[in-house]
Amino acid sequence: MKKIMTLTCCTSLFFAGAAAAQSSLPADMVGTKASQAVEEKKLPVAAAATQSGVTIYGIADMGFAAESGGAAGHVRKLTSGVASGSRLGFRGTEVIGDGLSAFFLLEMGVGLDTGASQQGGLTFGRQSYVGLMGDFGSVSAGRQYTPYYLITLAIDPFLGGFGGNSTNLVPYTAASGRLENQIRYTSPKYSGIRIDLAYGFGETAGSNSPNSQYDGNITYEDGPLFLGVAYHHKDNNLSSLTNIDSAKQTIFGATYNFGFLKAHAGYGIDKGVNSSPLRNTTNPYKSLVAPTASTDSTDLVLGVSVPFGASTVLGSFVQKNDKTVRNQDATQWGVGYMYAFSKRTDVYTGYAKINNKRGAGYTVGSVIETGSGDSAFQLGLRHRF
């Protein structure tokens, strides 16, 4: 009985802490149920890190998707993780003393439509890390989101979900924005400024450089204004293959909350091999020459989120400018709508369309799936616990 009461108490403290932190989120849709998920990604610590205990949490997201435009024809399906990836997580903290706390997080992705594990079948494929937190900030080690990826969320009113998510065209830094074997440092906020740094070990025998990655962002928050810049570098060399050009990505982002409307904007620069990998690599339109990932491109994201009552309307425009000789550009526009039944449950719908040029092969996906064609309609239900 004592353990059950402790768990319940810590769960309540977590939700209270998450709600209190919403006003400082750089990449959320303030006033919607997406804000809690963003805060979990933003820092590798629990919102109620001053309390000792373990919290069980999760998201159950199930939706209908109608995809069109692919070579295989129309696809109609029931799918899990359209707006948010369905998950089950365990978060724990321990107050050690003298301002120091230990924390951990284990988070697994679950496909509600089949019951299968997501993220390639990894048990805790969404995140798994342990760390220490104090007045110095926090240091964590394990499989985590990259600081670069958090800026891509900040500029996206869809938060990487729905068909209108910017990541259909804007590249991740690693698989779904996560980096394994990562050490990450997040500073406290000083005068609105926060620094987030990460290094991913390549774990190649005989050398530290091959397959290693380093990543970082600097953000500034002042009331309704958020500014951020991030850089990611990946060493593409392998123990048996060297002199490969590294991937170098830079992104600038800004949001401003006018109250009745939140504006989002971002601009990215991608150079080198693997700097802009294709999210869908299956040649979905069966082109005679399969689409090729760009090694020199820029990205533009413009978007808005408009809250009113229990509703939120979303809209965005995304552009990929391929500067290689192939010139495989693409543009995307998307719209979405969410209605909150309560603090934890909402329904959502959305539509997005991509215009591929000169053999580009981008597809409209969701937060979990890459999609099969150049347009998609989605309708779903999301519950947090």
Side-chain angles (χ1 to χ4, degrees):
M1 177 64 71
K2 183 177 180 181
K3 292 182 178 179
I4 295 175
M5 291 178 65
T6 301
L7 179 60
T8 304
C9 176
C10 291
T11 304
S12 300
L13 286 167
F14 165 72
F15 283 116
Q22 286 184 11
S23 61
S24 65
L25 296 176
D28 65 326
M29 288 170 276
V30 175
T32 73
K33 305 304 155 297
S35 56
Q36 178 186 321
V38 176
E39 184 66 17
E40 292 168 3
K41 292 179 179 181
K42 176 184 170 187
L43 293 174
V45 290
T50 57
Q51 303 293 329
S52 294
V54 175
T55 299
I56 300 175
Y57 67 94
I59 297 177
D61 182 309
M62 181 70 80
F64 167 78
E67 300 171 352
S68 302
H74 299 297
V75 177
R76 307 289 183 267
K77 59 185 177 182
L78 193 65
T79 182
S80 178
V82 175
S84 298
S86 297
R87 71 199 68 174
L88 177 64
F90 306 87
R91 174 190 289 105
T93 61
E94 179 191 16
V95 177
I96 299 174
D98 296 326
L100 188 65
S101 296
F103 61 88
F104 79 92
L105 185 142
L106 299 171
E107 187 175 277
M108 62 178 68
V110 181
L112 297 186
D113 50 344
T114 64
S117 296
Q118 301 289 337
Q119 290 77 48
L122 296 175
T123 303
F124 293 105
R126 292 190 60 85
Q127 296 192 84
S128 56
Y129 57 76
V130 65
L132 292 173
M133 171 185 173
D135 294 338
F136 59 87
S138 65
V139 176
S140 53
R143 178 178 169 89
Q144 307 169 75
Y145 291 107
T146 66
Y148 186 100
Y149 174 63
L150 299 184
I151 300 299
T152 68
L153 289 184
I155 64 176
D156 187 356
F158 291 92
L159 279 173
F162 295 79
N165 75 85
S166 64
T167 54
N168 289 328
L169 302 185
V170 178
Y172 291 128
T173 54
S176 300
R178 304 174 183 92
L179 182 58
E180 297 179 352
N181 308 311
Q182 176 188 164
I183 292 180
R184 179 177 165 196
Y185 167 72
T186 303
S187 77
K189 187 184 294 184
Y190 296 107
S191 300
I193 298 174
R194 174 176 280 139
I195 298 174
D196 203 347
L197 303 173
Y199 178 80
F201 289 86
E203 299 191 344
T204 301
S207 177
N208 293 326
S209 297
N211 204 37
S212 65
Q213 303 181 53
Y214 56 86
D215 190 298
N217 74 39
I218 300 176
T219 60
Y220 173 77
E221 294 178 79
D222 182 14
L225 174 66
F226 165 79
L227 300 173
V229 59
Y231 178 79
H232 181 84
H233 182 279
K234 179 181 180 181
D235 190 318
N236 289 310
N237 291 316
L238 303 173
S239 58
S240 59
L241 190 62
T242 60
N243 297 320
I244 304 175
D245 189 22
S246 296
K248 297 172 284 291
Q249 298 168 267
T250 306
I251 194 166
F252 304 89
T255 66
Y256 193 91
N257 193 341
F258 294 93
F260 68 95
L261 175 150
K262 187 173 183 179
H264 304 247
Y267 183 78
I269 303 170
D270 317 305
K271 290 185 177 294
V273 178
N274 291 324
S275 66
S276 186
L278 296 174
R279 193 179 182 199
N280 190 330
T281 60
T282 64
N283 190 11
Y285 306 107
K286 303 305 178 188
S287 303
L288 293 177
V289 178
T292 303
S294 177
T295 56
D296 185 5
S297 65
T298 60
D299 311 301
L300 175 67
V301 179
L302 300 173
V304 295
S305 55
V306 184
F308 56 98
S311 301
T312 303
V313 174
L314 311 170
S316 71
F317 171 81
V318 186
Q319 180 185 61
K320 165 66 73 175
N321 181 14
D322 179 15
K323 295 185 175 183
T324 68
V325 294
R326 290 177 293 274
N327 199 22
Q328 293 182 338
D329 299 338
T331 57
Q332 171 186 282
W333 62 267
V335 293
Y337 172 78
M338 300 184 296
Y339 180 83
F341 290 120
S342 68
K343 292 182 178 180
R344 296 191 296 164
T345 303
D346 61 354
V347 292
Y348 58 82
T349 187
Y351 178 83
K353 172 70 175 179
I354 289 178
N355 179 22
N356 288 298
K357 299 178 181 179
R358 291 173 287 277
Y362 298 98
T363 52
V364 177
S366 65
V367 71
I368 294 295
E369 298 183 339
T370 61
S372 62
D374 59 11
S375 66
F377 166 80
Q378 298 155 339
L379 174 68
L381 173 67
R382 173 173 51 187
H383 174 73
R384 292 179 173 81
F385 58 90

Short mmCIF file of all heavy atoms in Angstrom, two decimals, residues 29-97:
data_model
loop_
_atom_site.label_atom_id
_atom_site.label_comp_id
_atom_site.label_asym_id
_atom_site.label_seq_id
_atom_site.Cartn_x
_atom_site.Cartn_y
_atom_site.Cartn_z
N MET A 29 2.83 23.91 -28.34
CA MET A 29 1.63 24.65 -28.68
C MET A 29 0.99 24.98 -27.35
O MET A 29 0.27 24.18 -26.78
CB MET A 29 0.72 23.81 -29.57
CG MET A 29 1.26 23.64 -30.98
SD MET A 29 0.38 22.45 -31.95
CE MET A 29 1.18 20.94 -31.44
N VAL A 30 1.30 26.16 -26.82
CA VAL A 30 0.87 26.52 -25.48
C VAL A 30 -0.64 26.45 -25.37
O VAL A 30 -1.36 26.95 -26.23
CB VAL A 30 1.37 27.94 -25.12
CG1 VAL A 30 0.82 28.37 -23.77
CG2 VAL A 30 2.89 27.95 -25.09
N GLY A 31 -1.10 25.82 -24.31
CA GLY A 31 -2.53 25.68 -24.11
C GLY A 31 -3.10 24.41 -24.69
O GLY A 31 -4.29 24.16 -24.57
N THR A 32 -2.28 23.57 -25.31
CA THR A 32 -2.74 22.31 -25.85
C THR A 32 -2.11 21.18 -25.08
O THR A 32 -1.20 21.35 -24.28
CB THR A 32 -2.37 22.16 -27.33
OG1 THR A 32 -0.97 21.92 -27.41
CG2 THR A 32 -2.74 23.40 -28.12
N LYS A 33 -2.56 19.97 -25.36
CA LYS A 33 -2.06 18.81 -24.65
C LYS A 33 -0.71 18.35 -25.18
O LYS A 33 -0.12 17.42 -24.65
CB LYS A 33 -3.08 17.66 -24.74
CG LYS A 33 -4.45 18.10 -24.24
CD LYS A 33 -4.36 18.62 -22.84
CE LYS A 33 -5.46 19.58 -22.49
NZ LYS A 33 -5.52 20.80 -23.22
N ALA A 34 -0.21 18.99 -26.24
CA ALA A 34 1.11 18.63 -26.77
C ALA A 34 2.23 19.18 -25.92
O ALA A 34 3.37 18.73 -25.99
CB ALA A 34 1.26 19.14 -28.20
N SER A 35 1.93 20.18 -25.08
CA SER A 35 2.99 20.87 -24.36
C SER A 35 3.74 19.97 -23.40
O SER A 35 4.95 20.12 -23.22
CB SER A 35 2.41 22.06 -23.60
OG SER A 35 1.38 21.66 -22.73
N GLN A 36 3.05 19.03 -22.77
CA GLN A 36 3.73 18.13 -21.84
C GLN A 36 4.77 17.30 -22.56
O GLN A 36 5.88 17.11 -22.06
CB GLN A 36 2.71 17.21 -21.16
CG GLN A 36 3.36 16.22 -20.21
CD GLN A 36 2.36 15.23 -19.66
OE1 GLN A 36 1.24 15.57 -19.35
NE2 GLN A 36 2.78 13.98 -19.55
N ALA A 37 4.44 16.81 -23.75
CA ALA A 37 5.38 15.98 -24.50
C ALA A 37 6.63 16.76 -24.89
O ALA A 37 7.74 16.23 -24.88
CB ALA A 37 4.70 15.43 -25.77
N VAL A 38 6.46 18.04 -25.21
CA VAL A 38 7.61 18.85 -25.59
C VAL A 38 8.52 19.07 -24.40
O VAL A 38 9.73 19.01 -24.52
CB VAL A 38 7.15 20.21 -26.15
CG1 VAL A 38 8.34 21.10 -26.44
CG2 VAL A 38 6.35 19.99 -27.41
N GLU A 39 7.95 19.32 -23.23
CA GLU A 39 8.78 19.55 -22.05
C GLU A 39 9.59 18.29 -21.73
O GLU A 39 10.73 18.36 -21.31
CB GLU A 39 7.90 19.92 -20.86
CG GLU A 39 8.67 20.27 -19.59
CD GLU A 39 9.49 21.55 -19.75
OE1 GLU A 39 9.23 22.31 -20.69
OE2 GLU A 39 10.39 21.76 -18.94
N GLU A 40 9.00 17.10 -21.96
CA GLU A 40 9.73 15.87 -21.72
C GLU A 40 10.92 15.75 -22.66
O GLU A 40 11.98 15.23 -22.29
CB GLU A 40 8.80 14.67 -21.91
CG GLU A 40 7.71 14.58 -20.84
CD GLU A 40 6.63 13.59 -21.20
OE1 GLU A 40 6.76 12.94 -22.25
OE2 GLU A 40 5.66 13.47 -20.46
N LYS A 41 10.79 16.23 -23.90
CA LYS A 41 11.88 16.17 -24.86
C LYS A 41 12.91 17.26 -24.61
O LYS A 41 14.09 17.08 -24.87
CB LYS A 41 11.34 16.32 -26.29
CG LYS A 41 10.49 15.15 -26.74
CD LYS A 41 9.98 15.38 -28.15
CE LYS A 41 9.14 14.20 -28.63
NZ LYS A 41 8.65 14.40 -29.99
N LYS A 42 12.45 18.39 -24.09
CA LYS A 42 13.30 19.56 -23.98
C LYS A 42 14.44 19.35 -23.00
O LYS A 42 15.57 19.73 -23.27
CB LYS A 42 12.44 20.75 -23.55
CG LYS A 42 13.20 22.04 -23.30
CD LYS A 42 12.21 23.07 -22.81
CE LYS A 42 12.93 24.31 -22.31
NZ LYS A 42 12.01 25.26 -21.68
N LEU A 43 14.19 18.76 -21.85
CA LEU A 43 15.21 18.56 -20.83
C LEU A 43 15.26 17.10 -20.42
O LEU A 43 14.24 16.45 -20.31
CB LEU A 43 14.90 19.42 -19.59
CG LEU A 43 14.99 20.93 -19.76
CD1 LEU A 43 14.51 21.60 -18.48
CD2 LEU A 43 16.40 21.36 -20.06
N PRO A 44 16.45 16.57 -20.17
CA PRO A 44 16.57 15.17 -19.76
C PRO A 44 16.34 15.00 -18.26
O PRO A 44 17.05 14.27 -17.60
CB PRO A 44 18.02 14.84 -20.13
CG PRO A 44 18.75 16.13 -19.94
CD PRO A 44 17.76 17.20 -20.36
N VAL A 45 15.37 15.73 -17.71
CA VAL A 45 15.03 15.61 -16.30
C VAL A 45 13.54 15.76 -16.16
O VAL A 45 12.87 16.37 -16.98
CB VAL A 45 15.74 16.69 -15.45
CG1 VAL A 45 17.21 16.44 -15.36
CG2 VAL A 45 15.47 18.07 -15.99
N ALA A 46 13.00 15.19 -15.08
CA ALA A 46 11.58 15.31 -14.81
C ALA A 46 11.25 16.72 -14.34
O ALA A 46 12.06 17.40 -13.74
CB ALA A 46 11.15 14.30 -13.74
N ALA A 47 10.02 17.15 -14.61
CA ALA A 47 9.62 18.49 -14.19
C ALA A 47 9.63 18.61 -12.67
O ALA A 47 9.91 19.67 -12.12
CB ALA A 47 8.21 18.80 -14.73
N ALA A 48 9.33 17.52 -11.96
CA ALA A 48 9.32 17.53 -10.51
C ALA A 48 10.58 16.87 -9.97
O ALA A 48 10.55 15.99 -9.12
CB ALA A 48 8.08 16.82 -9.99
N ALA A 49 11.73 17.31 -10.48
CA ALA A 49 13.00 16.65 -10.15
C ALA A 49 13.41 16.85 -8.70
O ALA A 49 14.34 16.22 -8.23
CB ALA A 49 14.09 17.17 -11.06
N THR A 50 12.73 17.74 -7.98
CA THR A 50 13.07 17.93 -6.58
C THR A 50 12.45 16.85 -5.70
O THR A 50 12.72 16.81 -4.50
CB THR A 50 12.57 19.31 -6.11
OG1 THR A 50 11.16 19.40 -6.32
CG2 THR A 50 13.29 20.42 -6.86
N GLN A 51 11.62 16.00 -6.27
CA GLN A 51 10.98 14.94 -5.50
C GLN A 51 11.61 13.59 -5.83
O GLN A 51 11.96 13.33 -6.97
CB GLN A 51 9.48 14.90 -5.82
CG GLN A 51 8.75 16.22 -5.57
CD GLN A 51 8.70 16.58 -4.10
OE1 GLN A 51 8.66 15.71 -3.24
NE2 GLN A 51 8.72 17.88 -3.81
N SER A 52 11.73 12.74 -4.82
CA SER A 52 12.21 11.38 -5.06
C SER A 52 11.03 10.48 -5.37
O SER A 52 9.97 10.59 -4.75
CB SER A 52 12.96 10.85 -3.82
OG SER A 52 14.15 11.57 -3.60
N GLY A 53 11.21 9.55 -6.29
CA GLY A 53 10.15 8.62 -6.62
C GLY A 53 10.21 8.20 -8.07
O GLY A 53 11.09 8.59 -8.81
N VAL A 54 9.25 7.38 -8.47
CA VAL A 54 9.16 6.86 -9.83
C VAL A 54 7.78 7.18 -10.39
O VAL A 54 6.77 7.04 -9.70
CB VAL A 54 9.40 5.34 -9.86
CG1 VAL A 54 9.20 4.79 -11.27
CG2 VAL A 54 10.80 5.01 -9.35
N THR A 55 7.75 7.62 -11.63
CA THR A 55 6.51 7.95 -12.31
C THR A 55 6.33 7.03 -13.51
O THR A 55 7.25 6.83 -14.29
CB THR A 55 6.53 9.42 -12.80
OG1 THR A 55 6.67 10.29 -11.69
CG2 THR A 55 5.25 9.76 -13.56
N ILE A 56 5.15 6.48 -13.66
CA ILE A 56 4.75 5.74 -14.85
C ILE A 56 3.87 6.67 -15.68
O ILE A 56 2.93 7.26 -15.16
CB ILE A 56 4.00 4.45 -14.51
CG1 ILE A 56 4.88 3.53 -13.67
CG2 ILE A 56 3.56 3.73 -15.79
CD1 ILE A 56 4.16 2.28 -13.18
N TYR A 57 4.17 6.81 -16.97
CA TYR A 57 3.41 7.72 -17.81
C TYR A 57 3.31 7.13 -19.22
O TYR A 57 3.95 6.11 -19.55
CB TYR A 57 4.10 9.09 -17.88
CG TYR A 57 5.44 9.06 -18.58
CD1 TYR A 57 5.55 9.35 -19.94
CD2 TYR A 57 6.60 8.70 -17.90
CE1 TYR A 57 6.77 9.29 -20.59
CE2 TYR A 57 7.82 8.65 -18.53
CZ TYR A 57 7.90 8.94 -19.87
OH TYR A 57 9.12 8.87 -20.52
N GLY A 58 2.51 7.76 -20.05
CA GLY A 58 2.42 7.28 -21.42
C GLY A 58 1.47 8.09 -22.27
O GLY A 58 0.81 9.02 -21.80
N ILE A 59 1.42 7.73 -23.54
CA ILE A 59 0.50 8.32 -24.51
C ILE A 59 -0.08 7.19 -25.35
O ILE A 59 0.65 6.29 -25.79
CB ILE A 59 1.21 9.32 -25.44
CG1 ILE A 59 1.75 10.51 -24.65
CG2 ILE A 59 0.26 9.81 -26.53
CD1 ILE A 59 2.53 11.51 -25.50
N ALA A 60 -1.38 7.22 -25.54
CA ALA A 60 -2.07 6.28 -26.44
C ALA A 60 -2.65 7.09 -27.59
O ALA A 60 -3.56 7.90 -27.38
CB ALA A 60 -3.15 5.51 -25.70
N ASP A 61 -2.13 6.91 -28.78
CA ASP A 61 -2.52 7.69 -29.96
C ASP A 61 -2.88 6.72 -31.08
O ASP A 61 -2.07 5.89 -31.49
CB ASP A 61 -1.36 8.60 -30.39
CG ASP A 61 -1.70 9.49 -31.58
OD1 ASP A 61 -2.20 8.98 -32.59
OD2 ASP A 61 -1.46 10.70 -31.49
N MET A 62 -4.12 6.82 -31.57
CA MET A 62 -4.58 5.95 -32.65
C MET A 62 -5.35 6.79 -33.66
O MET A 62 -6.18 7.63 -33.28
CB MET A 62 -5.48 4.85 -32.11
CG MET A 62 -5.99 3.89 -33.17
SD MET A 62 -4.69 2.82 -33.82
CE MET A 62 -4.62 1.60 -32.53
N GLY A 63 -5.03 6.59 -34.94
CA GLY A 63 -5.69 7.40 -35.96
C GLY A 63 -5.94 6.66 -37.25
O GLY A 63 -5.36 5.61 -37.52
N PHE A 64 -6.81 7.25 -38.07
CA PHE A 64 -7.09 6.77 -39.43
C PHE A 64 -6.31 7.65 -40.40
O PHE A 64 -6.27 8.88 -40.26
CB PHE A 64 -8.58 6.86 -39.72
CG PHE A 64 -8.91 6.70 -41.18
CD1 PHE A 64 -8.93 5.45 -41.78
CD2 PHE A 64 -9.20 7.81 -41.97
CE1 PHE A 64 -9.23 5.30 -43.13
CE2 PHE A 64 -9.51 7.68 -43.32
CZ PHE A 64 -9.53 6.42 -43.90
N ALA A 65 -5.69 7.02 -41.39
CA ALA A 65 -4.93 7.76 -42.40
C ALA A 65 -5.36 7.33 -43.79
O ALA A 65 -5.50 6.13 -44.07
CB ALA A 65 -3.43 7.54 -42.22
N ALA A 66 -5.58 8.32 -44.67
CA ALA A 66 -5.88 8.07 -46.07
C ALA A 66 -4.79 8.73 -46.90
O ALA A 66 -4.72 9.96 -46.98
CB ALA A 66 -7.25 8.64 -46.43
N GLU A 67 -3.92 7.91 -47.50
CA GLU A 67 -2.76 8.41 -48.25
C GLU A 67 -2.98 8.22 -49.75
O GLU A 67 -3.50 7.18 -50.18
CB GLU A 67 -1.51 7.67 -47.80
CG GLU A 67 -1.21 7.83 -46.31
CD GLU A 67 -0.10 6.94 -45.81
OE1 GLU A 67 0.35 6.05 -46.57
OE2 GLU A 67 0.31 7.10 -44.64
N SER A 68 -2.53 9.20 -50.52
CA SER A 68 -2.73 9.16 -51.97
C SER A 68 -1.48 9.66 -52.69
O SER A 68 -0.64 10.34 -52.09
CB SER A 68 -3.92 10.04 -52.37
OG SER A 68 -5.11 9.64 -51.72
N GLY A 69 -1.38 9.28 -53.97
CA GLY A 69 -0.32 9.80 -54.82
C GLY A 69 0.86 8.88 -55.04
O GLY A 69 1.69 9.14 -55.91
N GLY A 70 0.98 7.81 -54.25
CA GLY A 70 2.09 6.89 -54.41
C GLY A 70 1.87 5.93 -55.56
O GLY A 70 0.74 5.76 -56.06
N ALA A 71 2.94 5.27 -55.99
CA ALA A 71 2.84 4.33 -57.11
C ALA A 71 1.94 3.16 -56.79
O ALA A 71 1.32 2.57 -57.69
CB ALA A 71 4.23 3.84 -57.48
N ALA A 72 1.82 2.80 -55.51
CA ALA A 72 0.99 1.66 -55.11
C ALA A 72 -0.49 2.02 -55.06
O ALA A 72 -1.33 1.14 -54.86
CB ALA A 72 1.44 1.13 -53.74
N GLY A 73 -0.85 3.29 -55.24
CA GLY A 73 -2.24 3.71 -55.21
C GLY A 73 -2.66 4.19 -53.82
O GLY A 73 -1.83 4.41 -52.94
N HIS A 74 -3.97 4.33 -53.65
CA HIS A 74 -4.50 4.82 -52.39
C HIS A 74 -4.25 3.82 -51.27
O HIS A 74 -4.36 2.60 -51.47
CB HIS A 74 -6.01 5.07 -52.50
CG HIS A 74 -6.37 6.10 -53.53
ND1 HIS A 74 -5.97 7.42 -53.46
CD2 HIS A 74 -7.09 6.00 -54.68
CE1 HIS A 74 -6.43 8.08 -54.49
NE2 HIS A 74 -7.10 7.24 -55.26
N VAL A 75 -3.94 4.33 -50.09
CA VAL A 75 -3.74 3.49 -48.91
C VAL A 75 -4.66 4.01 -47.80
O VAL A 75 -4.61 5.18 -47.45
CB VAL A 75 -2.27 3.52 -48.43
CG1 VAL A 75 -2.12 2.69 -47.15
CG2 VAL A 75 -1.35 3.01 -49.52
N ARG A 76 -5.49 3.13 -47.26
CA ARG A 76 -6.36 3.45 -46.14
C ARG A 76 -5.96 2.56 -44.97
O ARG A 76 -5.91 1.34 -45.12
CB ARG A 76 -7.84 3.22 -46.49
CG ARG A 76 -8.29 3.94 -47.75
CD ARG A 76 -8.35 5.45 -47.53
NE ARG A 76 -8.86 6.14 -48.72
CZ ARG A 76 -8.11 6.65 -49.66
NH1 ARG A 76 -6.79 6.52 -49.59
NH2 ARG A 76 -8.63 7.28 -50.69
N LYS A 77 -5.70 3.14 -43.82
CA LYS A 77 -5.20 2.30 -42.72
C LYS A 77 -5.52 2.92 -41.37
O LYS A 77 -5.73 4.12 -41.22
CB LYS A 77 -3.69 2.12 -42.85
CG LYS A 77 -2.89 3.40 -42.84
CD LYS A 77 -1.41 3.13 -43.11
CE LYS A 77 -0.60 4.41 -43.18
NZ LYS A 77 0.82 4.16 -43.49
N LEU A 78 -5.57 2.04 -40.37
CA LEU A 78 -5.63 2.43 -38.98
C LEU A 78 -4.22 2.31 -38.44
O LEU A 78 -3.57 1.27 -38.57
CB LEU A 78 -6.58 1.50 -38.20
CG LEU A 78 -6.98 1.96 -36.79
CD1 LEU A 78 -7.80 3.24 -36.87
CD2 LEU A 78 -7.77 0.86 -36.10
N THR A 79 -3.71 3.39 -37.85
CA THR A 79 -2.30 3.41 -37.48
C THR A 79 -2.10 4.07 -36.12
O THR A 79 -2.89 4.93 -35.70
CB THR A 79 -1.47 4.15 -38.55
OG1 THR A 79 -0.09 4.12 -38.19
CG2 THR A 79 -1.93 5.58 -38.70
N SER A 80 -1.07 3.67 -35.44
CA SER A 80 -0.76 4.21 -34.11
C SER A 80 0.35 5.25 -34.21
O SER A 80 1.34 5.05 -34.89
CB SER A 80 -0.31 3.07 -33.19
OG SER A 80 0.04 3.56 -31.92
N GLY A 81 0.16 6.38 -33.51
CA GLY A 81 1.20 7.39 -33.49
C GLY A 81 1.13 8.33 -34.67
O GLY A 81 2.09 8.47 -35.42
N VAL A 82 0.00 9.01 -34.87
CA VAL A 82 -0.13 9.98 -35.95
C VAL A 82 0.31 11.36 -35.46
O VAL A 82 1.17 12.02 -36.06
CB VAL A 82 -1.57 10.03 -36.48
CG1 VAL A 82 -1.73 11.13 -37.52
CG2 VAL A 82 -1.97 8.69 -37.07
N ALA A 83 -0.26 11.83 -34.35
CA ALA A 83 0.10 13.12 -33.79
C ALA A 83 1.24 13.00 -32.78
O ALA A 83 2.13 13.84 -32.73
CB ALA A 83 -1.11 13.77 -33.12
N SER A 84 1.22 11.95 -31.97
CA SER A 84 2.28 11.67 -30.99
C SER A 84 2.55 10.17 -31.00
O SER A 84 1.62 9.37 -31.15
CB SER A 84 1.87 12.09 -29.57
OG SER A 84 1.62 13.46 -29.48
N GLY A 85 3.80 9.80 -30.83
CA GLY A 85 4.12 8.38 -30.77
C GLY A 85 3.55 7.74 -29.52
O GLY A 85 3.76 8.24 -28.40
N SER A 86 2.80 6.65 -29.66
CA SER A 86 2.29 5.94 -28.49
C SER A 86 3.45 5.37 -27.70
O SER A 86 4.42 4.85 -28.28
CB SER A 86 1.34 4.82 -28.92
OG SER A 86 0.21 5.36 -29.58
N ARG A 87 3.37 5.46 -26.37
CA ARG A 87 4.52 5.10 -25.56
C ARG A 87 4.12 4.69 -24.15
O ARG A 87 3.03 5.02 -23.67
CB ARG A 87 5.48 6.29 -25.46
CG ARG A 87 4.94 7.42 -24.61
CD ARG A 87 5.62 8.74 -24.86
NE ARG A 87 5.31 9.24 -26.20
CZ ARG A 87 5.67 10.43 -26.65
NH1 ARG A 87 6.39 11.23 -25.88
NH2 ARG A 87 5.35 10.83 -27.86
N LEU A 88 5.05 4.01 -23.50
CA LEU A 88 4.96 3.70 -22.07
C LEU A 88 6.31 4.01 -21.47
O LEU A 88 7.35 3.54 -21.97
CB LEU A 88 4.60 2.24 -21.83
CG LEU A 88 4.54 1.79 -20.37
CD1 LEU A 88 3.43 2.52 -19.62
CD2 LEU A 88 4.34 0.28 -20.29
N GLY A 89 6.33 4.84 -20.43
CA GLY A 89 7.60 5.29 -19.89
C GLY A 89 7.68 5.19 -18.38
O GLY A 89 6.67 5.18 -17.68
N PHE A 90 8.91 5.13 -17.91
CA PHE A 90 9.22 5.09 -16.48
C PHE A 90 10.26 6.17 -16.20
O PHE A 90 11.34 6.16 -16.80
CB PHE A 90 9.76 3.73 -16.06
CG PHE A 90 8.86 2.58 -16.44
CD1 PHE A 90 8.97 1.99 -17.70
CD2 PHE A 90 7.90 2.10 -15.57
CE1 PHE A 90 8.15 0.93 -18.07
CE2 PHE A 90 7.07 1.05 -15.92
CZ PHE A 90 7.19 0.47 -17.17
N ARG A 91 9.94 7.08 -15.32
CA ARG A 91 10.83 8.17 -14.97
C ARG A 91 11.05 8.18 -13.47
O ARG A 91 10.09 8.04 -12.70
CB ARG A 91 10.22 9.50 -15.40
CG ARG A 91 11.00 10.71 -14.97
CD ARG A 91 10.27 12.02 -15.19
NE ARG A 91 10.19 12.35 -16.61
CZ ARG A 91 9.10 12.24 -17.34
NH1 ARG A 91 7.99 11.78 -16.79
NH2 ARG A 91 9.11 12.57 -18.61
N GLY A 92 12.29 8.33 -13.05
CA GLY A 92 12.57 8.33 -11.62
C GLY A 92 13.59 9.36 -11.23
O GLY A 92 14.48 9.71 -12.03
N THR A 93 13.48 9.88 -10.02
CA THR A 93 14.45 10.81 -9.47
C THR A 93 14.75 10.44 -8.02
O THR A 93 13.89 9.86 -7.33
CB THR A 93 13.95 12.27 -9.51
OG1 THR A 93 12.75 12.37 -8.72
CG2 THR A 93 13.67 12.72 -10.92
N GLU A 94 15.92 10.79 -7.58
CA GLU A 94 16.29 10.64 -6.18
C GLU A 94 17.05 11.88 -5.75
O GLU A 94 18.04 12.28 -6.38
CB GLU A 94 17.18 9.42 -5.95
CG GLU A 94 17.59 9.26 -4.48
CD GLU A 94 18.67 8.23 -4.27
OE1 GLU A 94 19.34 7.85 -5.26
OE2 GLU A 94 18.86 7.81 -3.12
N VAL A 95 16.59 12.51 -4.67
CA VAL A 95 17.29 13.66 -4.12
C VAL A 95 18.45 13.13 -3.28
O VAL A 95 18.26 12.49 -2.25
CB VAL A 95 16.35 14.52 -3.25
CG1 VAL A 95 17.14 15.66 -2.62
CG2 VAL A 95 15.20 15.05 -4.09
N ILE A 96 19.68 13.39 -3.74
CA ILE A 96 20.87 12.89 -3.05
C ILE A 96 21.25 13.81 -1.91
O ILE A 96 21.67 13.37 -0.84
CB ILE A 96 22.04 12.76 -4.06
CG1 ILE A 96 21.66 11.76 -5.16
CG2 ILE A 96 23.31 12.33 -3.35
CD1 ILE A 96 22.68 11.68 -6.27
N GLY A 97 21.10 15.11 -2.09
CA GLY A 97 21.46 16.09 -1.07
C GLY A 97 22.39 17.15 -1.61
O GLY A 97 23.01 16.98 -2.68
#
